[in-house]
Every structure is written in structure tokens, then in C-alpha cells.
Amino acid sequence: MKKRRIACLLSALLTLLLASCSSQDKHDDMNREMDKSKEVKANDSLNWKVGSFTYTDEKGKPFSLNQLEGKVWLANFIFTNCETVCPPMTAHMTKLQDMLAKEKITADIVSFSVDPKRDTPKQLRAFGKKFDSDFTNWHFLTGYSQKEIENFARDSFKAAVSADPTSDQFTHGTSFYLVNSKGNVLKRYDGVQNVPFDQIVKDTKAAADQAKNDHHTQKEENADEIEPVKVELTISEKDTPTIQAAVSQNGKPVNDADEVLFELWRSGGKKHQKIEIKKGENGIYSMKTHDLKPGKYVVISHVTARGMHTMPKKKFMVQ
């Protein structure tokens, strides 16, 4: 009897211990999921690509992602009939706009309406004015369907947008997003309660500085590219026609061409003359023609210069 009681007691203790472990495992799993969520929000390199768009701004004009090419910008999602978070979010964005201007940091701001049916350009402009928004570099966008903005917010910013079926309000994200000059979302921040204003300004400056460096690097790379040699072939049709080949590269005359050869023949004829021009002045290689019978002629200038070859062709008439 005692053995049976002891066995039952051990069984009960084992069951309790397993339940406790299971509960702890679930708690640990929840903590891990919360930590993952925090890691995503704090991630410095989200690198989400913003999808291409062409919408309508507060002036009623088309505004597209192309107009932000090469620029750093901040983004958020709002609507003018919002009764809760949108007013403080917009006020906070105004503060950021002022802080960036004070620090002379070049950046645009884009606020996407999640209520495009009611938010006309006029409504958005009036809403922006209430918060002293500077429309020079702050764009309030509308001009799309409800489904379109829901898909765009999800695909580009990993943000949920949906209409509340029980009211005229909308569910939407309250984050501010930093987008670099290549159109990639770098960071997201709390836009309502704990807005890290100084950090956003610091991060925006870093992104703007990087954009400048990328621009200068691109210019240097373009400068190193070899420009093609250009040849402009002209014929002066006077008493004695003069054939000229103006040779240039990157807008500057080429006087060191390896070879300039004029190939000349009468239209329909089989006999071709080839005359080499040894020297050019200010990039002009010319030849006067003599003893040409009246009729139509064709000339090709064969120009070899700086590792390139080009051969423009032209027709002219001898009276």
C-alpha cells in the first residue's frame, strides 16, 4: 500500500515538473519572439527596397519615386481625418524638418495618406499647413486606390494599413522611416511617443553624407570613362569643293589623329580615290578637290584616332 502511495506521489510530482518546464519553455519562446521583434526595430540595415510609384502631391501634381532619386528622405503614413496618432506624428515630423534645416542637412519628407478616397490634394495641403509644414521638401501624397496603398505599405515598408470596418478610421503603422539615396529603407523609428529626434537627425546626416560621397565617386568614375572620338564631315560646295573632317573628343579638338583618309568617288562610278591628310589644325583636316567633272560624288572620311575608328559618309554635287 505504501509503495502504491509513493508511486502515485512520484507520478504527480513528475507531472507537475513537466508542466512547469513546458510553461517555462513557452515563456522563453515568447521572450525570444519579443527580442526578435526588438532586433528588427533596431536594425541599422533593413535594406527594404521601396517600390516604384507615381502618385499625386498636395499641389495636385504627379509625384514619383524618380523625383527622389539620389535623395535621402523620411517617410510615414497618415490621414487627415485621424483622431489619434496622426496629429502628433505630423507635429513631430515638423520638428524634424526644422532640426534638419537648422543643421543644413538636405532631406525630403514624404507622407503617404492611408485614406486616399477622402484625402484630396486640397485636404492634404490644409492638413500640412495646420502643422507649419514646409512644402518645399515635404510631399503629402494621395491619388491611388485603397488596395494600392495597402499593398505598397506592406511591400515597401513592411507596414500594415487597413480600414476599420466599424468606423471611418484606419489602422496604420506609426513609424518614421529613413530611406537612402538608392531608395532603400535603412531604419525605422517610433513616430508617436518616444521619437528619437537627435538620432534621426544623426542618421539622416550620415545617409546624406554617404549620398554625396557616392555622387562624387560616380562623377570621378564617369570622368575616367573614355569619350568616343567624333567626326563631323562637311563639304563646302563652292567653285572648288573643300572637304573637311572636324575631329574632336569630349568637346576638344583632336590634332594627333593616327590617320585621316578621304575616300572619294563619282556616284555610280567604280574608281575610288583615297587621299591621306597628314596634318590637322584645331582638329580640322581638310582637302580641296580639283579637276572633278560635274556630277554627284560620295566621300567617306576614314579617321583613326586614340584607339578608335570612325567613318562618316556624305554626298555632294559638283556643278
Side-chain angles (χ1 to χ4, degrees):
M1 191 72 176
K2 285 184 178 180
K3 289 182 180 180
R4 187 178 297 176
R5 286 180 181 176
I6 292 171
C8 289
L9 183 59
L10 288 172
S11 177
L13 285 171
L14 182 61
T15 301
L16 184 62
L17 181 61
L18 289 172
S20 175
C21 288
S22 176
S23 175
Q24 183 62 43
D25 287 343
K26 288 180 181 178
H27 183 70
D28 290 343
D29 288 342
M30 288 176 65
N31 282 339
R32 278 193 289 270
E33 289 302 315
M34 289 175 67
D35 288 342
K36 284 182 183 178
S37 176
K38 288 177 182 177
E39 285 171 8
V40 170
K41 290 182 180 179
N43 197 327
D44 288 351
S45 302
L46 299 176
N47 208 33
W48 303 333
K49 190 71 177 175
V50 177
S52 179
F53 66 83
T54 300
Y55 297 148
T56 304
D57 67 13
E58 77 288 344
K59 299 169 189 167
K61 295 182 179 180
F63 188 88
S64 71
L65 182 63
N66 291 338
Q67 288 165 261
L68 295 166
E69 186 176 353
K71 296 182 179 181
V72 173
W73 49 291
L74 295 169
N76 69 343
F77 293 88
I78 52 93
F79 65 107
T80 63
N81 196 42
C82 179
E83 298 173 353
T84 53
V85 294
C86 299
M89 285 173 67
T90 308
H92 294 156
M93 195 66 90
T94 299
K95 181 178 177 179
L96 279 170
Q97 187 179 42
D98 292 341
M99 291 174 71
L100 291 169
K102 186 177 180 180
E103 296 295 325
K104 296 182 180 179
I105 300 169
T106 303
D108 280 35
I109 300 171
V110 182
S111 292
F112 298 92
S113 170
V114 299
D115 184 11
K117 188 174 181 180
R118 286 182 298 181
D119 280 346
T120 63
K122 186 177 179 181
Q123 286 281 99
L124 289 170
R125 190 169 181 84
F127 182 76
K129 281 184 176 180
K130 281 169 56 177
F131 297 93
D132 295 324
S133 306
D134 183 352
F135 298 114
T136 304
N137 63 333
W138 191 342
H139 319 280
F140 290 82
L141 302 188
T142 185
Y144 33 77
S145 68
Q146 186 64 43
K147 191 66 178 174
E148 190 175 357
I149 189 59
E150 290 175 8
N151 291 340
F152 175 76
R154 182 194 65 228
D155 297 341
S156 295
F157 294 91
K158 310 296 183 265
V161 171
S162 62
D164 183 349
T166 64
S167 71
D168 62 355
Q169 296 297 290
F170 290 80
T171 300
H172 63 92
T174 58
S175 296
F176 290 166
Y177 300 88
L178 174 62
V179 186
N180 69 7
S181 60
K182 297 177 182 178
N184 295 327
V185 180
L186 295 183
K187 292 190 177 184
R188 65 179 175 184
Y189 315 88
D190 185 345
V192 182
Q193 293 182 329
N194 302 307
V195 185
F197 292 102
D198 292 336
Q199 187 63 48
I200 294 174
V201 171
K202 181 181 177 181
D203 294 342
T204 305
K205 183 180 186 306
D209 289 344
Q210 183 63 52
K212 287 180 183 176
N213 291 336
D214 291 344
H215 179 68
H216 290 319
T217 301
Q218 187 63 48
K219 283 184 71 176
E220 288 172 2
E221 288 176 354
N222 290 342
D224 290 338
E225 291 179 2
I226 299 174
E227 289 288 331
V229 169
K230 296 181 180 179
V231 178
E232 184 180 358
L233 182 62
T234 59
I235 294 101
S236 172
E237 297 185 14
K238 295 182 179 179
D239 295 335
T240 304
T242 300
I243 302 171
Q244 287 188 340
V247 185
S248 63
Q249 185 182 44
N250 200 22
K252 298 178 180 179
V254 173
N255 296 316
D256 58 352
D258 299 311
E259 182 183 61
V260 176
L261 189 72
F262 292 131
E263 182 179 359
L264 177 68
W265 70 96
R266 191 174 181 182
S267 187
K270 295 182 180 180
K271 186 178 180 181
H272 289 217
Q273 289 181 280
K274 291 184 179 179
I275 303 98
E276 185 177 0
I277 310 302
K278 296 288 187 182
K279 190 177 180 182
E281 187 174 341
N282 291 326
I284 304 295
Y285 298 79
S286 62
M287 177 190 80
K288 286 190 176 182
T289 60
H290 298 280
D291 303 324
L292 292 180
K293 296 180 180 179
K296 292 181 180 179
Y297 285 81
V298 181
V299 63
I300 296 177
S301 65
H302 300 268
V303 178
T304 303
R306 298 178 182 177
M308 293 172 243
H309 182 78
T310 183
M311 43 189 293
K313 179 180 178 181
K314 201 141 193 170
K315 296 180 181 179
F316 65 97
M317 177 73 73
V318 175
Q319 301 295 335

